[in-house]
Amino acid sequence: MKTDISAYFRLAGPMRPARLVATCLALSLAVPAMADEYRLGSQDKLNIRVAEWQTVEGTFRDWSAVNGEYSVGPAGNLSVPFVGELPAAGKTTSEVAAAISVALQRKLALSDKPEASVEMVQFRPFYISGEIQTPGQFPYVPELTVLKAISIAGGIRRNADLGTQLGKDLITAKGNFNIYDDQRVRLIVKRARIDADLAGKESFEAPKEVEGDPRLATIVADEMQILISDQKALKLKLQALDDLKGVLQSEIEALQKKIVNQQKQVDLAQQQADSIGPLAQKGLVANARLLSSQQSVTDLQGKILDYETAVLTAKQSVSKATQDAIDAQNTLNSRLAADRQQVEADLNEAALRVNMQQGLMAQASDPATTAAITNNNEEPALIYSLVRVTDGKTSEIDAKEDTPVLPGDVIKVKLAPTASQ
């Protein structure tokens, strides 16, 4: 038997549907318990759904313009239609859902808050490095522990492979380090160029944090060309618009002079018509002459209207040129702001990769690793630690195989020092 839920709500009265909205959404978009306790961070992907009870129709209305998947940006914000930038980092999905409801009600002046539901689609990844088969970045799964993470990464590296693998790891880590460090330096210089571009400067100085880098001169020169190109393109466009405004202003002045002269002709024609009128009434002048004079006045007045219309059109064009100049500057600034945000995200990722490669190089050169190679029949003792960012601060935590791992954690797996050490 098919149930008409809308009819049920209508019978239940106006208050009951409103109370059941949250329950229905919770049942249809159930979020795992872990997600309620989990604090969101950059790269987390969420599914947002908003619904509103329509009392008159007795039905739910889905907000299709808002519903969908969203990612927490590098700055820790969600960009939601009708809401704008909404802080999400450090909050639970329930807190974000409540914030969306309040923001929609406030910005759209709704009498009742719409019901919002937020569920995790994909957690931000975790990272693992050290004595494992395949170090790197992996998708996070709920209830992850250090041991499970090691299994995902292919397990512990075998001693029999260490002798050959260590040399390869060291070479690979050094190569990757050079690549990521080059990216880091380029991004730092690019950020400085974008800041100069946003400030309207024609040049910029190399950032102090990369002073002395042998690649700096070439990178700065490349970014300087981009800065010069951006500024030149903007200046040319603004100059063209200024020239257009100058031409239009000259046209307006010419038209205004024509209006003045035309008005004088209208006055003269009107005087002539006024002088002919009494004569025509006395029959001293033919009526055709009076009509001709009046027609001349009308024609001259029509030309004045044409000139005035042309003046208004030219003034509108001047206003449009002014707005185009503002839009050109705003478009450049918007692009630069988006580029800078992306640079910050890329820079954070590059820094993390640089640190990881440094750890891999240190691990490959660690005396404990070398000592472990001398006895391939024994399984080496391992030391685990987690590098975790909390409230913007990075800390390293000692861990065990059953220690829970959170999204964004970096797991370090090291060989324990031998007794001889």
Side-chain angles (χ1 to χ4, degrees):
M1 177 178 178
K2 185 176 180 181
T3 302
D4 185 353
I5 190 170
S6 300
Y8 172 75
F9 283 155
R10 287 193 292 270
L11 291 173
M15 294 301 295
R16 188 167 185 176
R19 291 196 300 269
L20 290 176
V21 170
T23 304
C24 292
L25 278 176
L27 291 173
S28 62
L29 297 172
V31 180
M34 187 270 181
D36 287 337
E37 302 170 359
Y38 171 64
R39 298 289 170 176
L40 298 173
S42 177
Q43 299 184 56
D44 281 335
K45 291 185 178 180
L46 310 173
N47 182 51
I48 297 177
R49 184 176 176 185
V50 179
E52 182 184 9
W53 174 254
Q54 301 291 300
T55 304
V56 177
E57 294 84 359
T59 58
F60 287 108
R61 183 185 70 177
D62 269 339
W63 289 45
S64 57
V66 177
N67 296 344
E69 291 189 4
Y70 297 82
S71 295
V72 180
N77 296 330
L78 282 172
S79 182
V80 182
F82 308 116
V83 175
E85 292 293 319
L86 183 72
K91 295 184 178 181
T92 65
T93 53
S94 299
E95 291 170 343
V96 171
I100 291 173
S101 295
V102 172
L104 288 173
Q105 182 188 29
R106 184 180 67 253
K107 290 201 173 186
L108 301 180
L110 303 175
S111 57
D112 297 318
K113 285 192 299 184
E115 295 294 335
S117 178
V118 178
E119 65 176 343
M120 293 297 306
V121 174
Q122 181 177 320
F123 295 95
R124 59 188 185 274
F126 71 93
Y127 305 84
I128 187 166
S129 66
E131 295 304 319
I132 54 174
Q133 292 291 344
T134 53
Q137 170 184 311
F138 297 91
Y140 181 84
V141 293
E143 300 182 2
L144 185 68
T145 63
V146 170
L147 184 59
K148 290 180 181 179
I150 292 173
S151 299
I152 292 173
I156 300 297
R157 185 184 301 161
R158 296 179 181 178
N159 284 348
D161 301 330
L162 282 176
T164 304
Q165 190 64 35
L166 280 177
K168 293 180 179 179
D169 285 351
L170 186 57
I171 294 172
T172 301
K174 285 182 178 179
N176 289 338
F177 172 82
N178 290 334
I179 293 172
Y180 297 139
D181 189 57
D182 181 75
Q183 291 177 356
R184 182 185 67 85
V185 174
R186 290 181 181 277
L187 287 168
I188 290 172
V189 176
K190 183 177 181 179
R191 181 176 61 185
R193 186 264 300 170
I194 291 175
D195 289 341
D197 217 346
L198 284 169
K201 297 180 180 179
E202 296 183 353
S203 63
F204 68 96
E205 296 181 358
K208 293 183 178 180
E209 54 194 305
V210 291
E211 280 184 353
D213 192 289
R215 302 159 292 187
L216 192 58
T218 302
I219 297 173
V220 169
D222 292 341
E223 291 295 332
M224 188 67 74
Q225 289 298 320
I226 298 175
L227 175 63
I228 293 172
S229 177
D230 281 349
Q231 294 295 331
K232 183 178 180 180
L234 180 62
K235 285 182 179 179
L236 288 174
K237 187 164 188 177
L238 294 179
Q239 184 61 50
L241 291 170
D242 283 341
D243 293 344
L244 175 60
K245 288 165 64 176
V247 171
L248 291 170
Q249 194 61 44
S250 298
E251 182 180 348
I252 290 171
E253 292 174 359
L255 288 169
Q256 288 173 338
K257 289 179 181 179
K258 287 185 177 181
I259 291 173
V260 172
N261 293 332
Q262 196 72 14
Q263 186 61 51
K264 291 179 180 179
Q265 294 183 29
V266 169
D267 293 341
L268 291 174
Q270 187 63 53
Q271 290 176 5
Q272 184 179 13
D274 292 343
S275 63
I276 294 175
L279 297 175
Q281 290 178 355
K282 295 178 181 180
L284 299 176
V285 177
N287 289 332
R289 185 176 176 184
L290 176 61
L291 292 174
S292 177
S293 297
Q294 292 174 341
Q295 183 64 45
S296 296
V297 172
T298 302
D299 292 342
L300 292 171
Q301 289 175 337
K303 288 184 178 180
I304 290 178
L305 290 176
D306 291 340
Y307 292 149
E308 289 176 343
T309 301
V311 168
L312 290 176
T313 301
K315 287 182 177 180
Q316 288 177 346
S317 298
V318 170
S319 298
K320 184 178 183 303
T322 302
Q323 186 60 49
D324 288 345
I326 296 172
D327 290 344
Q329 184 68 64
N330 290 341
T331 299
L332 176 61
N333 289 343
S334 297
R335 177 174 65 80
L336 291 172
D339 288 348
R340 196 186 192 288
Q341 186 178 24
Q342 186 61 48
V343 165
E344 286 290 351
D346 294 342
L347 191 55
N348 290 336
E349 183 177 353
L352 183 61
R353 291 180 181 274
V354 166
N355 292 336
M356 179 180 291
Q357 297 307 318
Q358 286 177 326
L360 291 174
M361 287 190 294
Q363 182 67 31
S365 306
D366 193 347
T369 304
T370 306
I373 301 175
T374 60
N375 191 349
N376 289 333
N377 295 324
E378 296 181 4
E379 286 294 329
L382 299 172
I383 299 176
Y384 309 111
S385 63
L386 297 176
V387 178
R388 181 173 296 167
V389 178
T390 305
D391 296 330
K393 297 181 179 179
T394 303
S395 59
E396 187 164 349
I397 308 166
D398 292 336
K400 299 179 181 179
E401 290 184 345
D402 59 352
T403 300
V405 177
L406 299 181
D409 282 353
V410 178
I411 306 168
K412 290 184 176 181
V413 182
K414 297 181 180 180
L415 290 172
T418 61
S420 60
Q421 296 175 310

